[in-house]
Amino acid sequence: MTYGVGMMLDAGLVLMSDTRTNAGVDNVSVFRKMFHWSVPGDRIITVLTAGNLGTTQAVVSQIEERTKAPGERHPSILTAPTMFQVATEIGTLLRDVIAKARAGGMEGEEGEVFSASMIVAGQIAGMEPSLFRIYPEGNFIEASFDTPFFQIGETKYGRPILVRGYDRAMPFEEAVKLLLVSFDSTLAANLSVGLPFDLMVIARDGFTPLHHRRIKAGDPYFASISTGWSEALRQAFKALPAYDMAAV
């Protein structure tokens, strides 16, 4: 399992994903789950992945056209005219990879076909920034004012933080802080999510990452967020009125 979030703001897009992959408690590894492609001045496209690692790596490999020599690679998503068509192409790739796994009998221990989901975010020049959530079947939904962020993977622990704290007009710095609180809450509740975290900030009409870094274990800012959030929760809990059993 993993945790990834893509968020739309008035100022642009903010994305974060963890890097933990496990095949049992004794086989935990770190794999990148955030990928991006850009043409300065024309477009930037970022993909977050969750689910079976073999499935997601196969999709990313096809996007990058790894069968060609490095100098000949030219992903077709860099020529698609709209982000909608980018999402359509990636959705088709994901569906086809899963279908091949099913046809080859690649099933989990409980008969579940190796599955995956993705977030696709980006902007093409002359158009608005876009955010999509792609399902294993290849279909997708697009973010809107009513649904301004998407989560994939282990979503339930971090979602309440996002729902209560999100503001479309917030600056990038506040959005990053909100995501880190959401990831900290997920990290504390689920061992299948873990550091390092990959972070990307894409400014509207920027077409290259405004900010892109990996947040590793021991990062001072993340440590301060984790400690501060825990203490704030304890203080808020103590400030709530006490339950009076005698009054019931």
Side-chain angles (χ1 to χ4, degrees), residues 7-24:
M7 179 181 293
M8 289 192 69
L9 303 173
D10 289 338
L13 300 158
V14 183
L15 304 109
M16 188 177 290
S17 66
D18 86 320
T19 56
R20 176 165 293 181
T21 299
N22 71 86

Side-chain angles (χ1 to χ4, degrees), residues 6 20 29 35 38 40 45 58 64 71 83 92 101 137 157 166 184 197 223 225 243:
R20 176 165 293 181
S29 303
F35 307 86
S38 64
I45 299 165
E64 294 185 339
M83 283 299 299
T92 299
E137 296 78 11
Y157 302 108
Y166 173 83
D184 179 63
F197 301 148
I225 289 292
Y243 178 74

Side-chain angles (χ1 to χ4, degrees), residues 39-55:
V39 178
D42 179 69
R43 70 186 60 204
I44 182 168
I45 299 165
T46 301
V47 173
L48 305 185
T49 66
N52 177 260
L53 184 63
T55 299

Side-chain angles (χ1 to χ4, degrees), residues 48-231:
L48 305 185
T49 66
N52 177 260
L53 184 63
T55 299
T56 58
Q57 286 193 339
V59 173
V60 172
S61 294
Q62 290 188 53
I63 293 174
E64 294 185 339
E65 298 182 304
R66 289 181 184 254
T67 57
K68 295 183 178 180
E72 298 175 346
R73 293 175 187 168
H74 188 70
S76 57
I77 62 171
L78 296 183
T79 58
T82 66
M83 283 299 299
F84 183 89
Q85 292 192 29
V86 169
T88 299
E89 179 176 342
I90 295 175
T92 299
L93 285 174
L94 178 59
R95 183 195 63 205
D96 291 348
V97 168
I98 293 174
K100 288 181 181 178
R102 181 183 295 116
M106 296 174 61
E107 298 183 351
E109 293 180 357
E110 298 179 359
E112 181 180 355
V113 175
F114 289 166
S115 188
S117 57
M118 296 183 169
I119 289 174
V120 176
Q123 184 181 9
I124 295 175
M127 304 177 189
E128 288 291 302
S130 300
L131 181 68
F132 302 87
R133 188 197 191 286
I134 300 182
Y135 294 93
E137 296 78 11
N139 58 325
F140 55 85
I141 56 175
E142 184 173 3
S144 64
F145 283 102
D146 294 324
T147 308
F149 61 84
F150 290 133
Q151 301 168 279
I152 52 176
E154 189 55 79
T155 63
K156 55 184 176 291
Y157 302 108
R159 183 171 180 79
I161 307 298
L162 300 179
V163 169
R164 295 189 176 193
Y166 173 83
D167 180 352
R168 191 181 181 97
M170 64 170 49
F172 287 132
E173 293 82 359
E174 288 293 300
V176 172
K177 180 168 64 174
L178 180 64
L179 285 180
L180 285 173
V181 172
S182 177
F183 271 70
D184 179 63
S185 299
T186 305
L187 185 69
N190 193 300
L191 292 175
S192 68
V193 175
L195 290 155
F197 301 148
D198 286 327
L199 166 67
M200 181 175 292
V201 177
I202 303 171
R204 176 185 290 270
D205 299 326
F207 306 114
T208 56
L210 175 66
H211 184 70
H212 186 204
R213 65 177 291 236
R214 174 162 285 191
I215 299 168
K216 300 179 180 179
D219 180 85
Y221 180 68
F222 179 65
S224 68
I225 289 292
S226 181
T227 301
W229 181 246
S230 296
E231 182 59 27

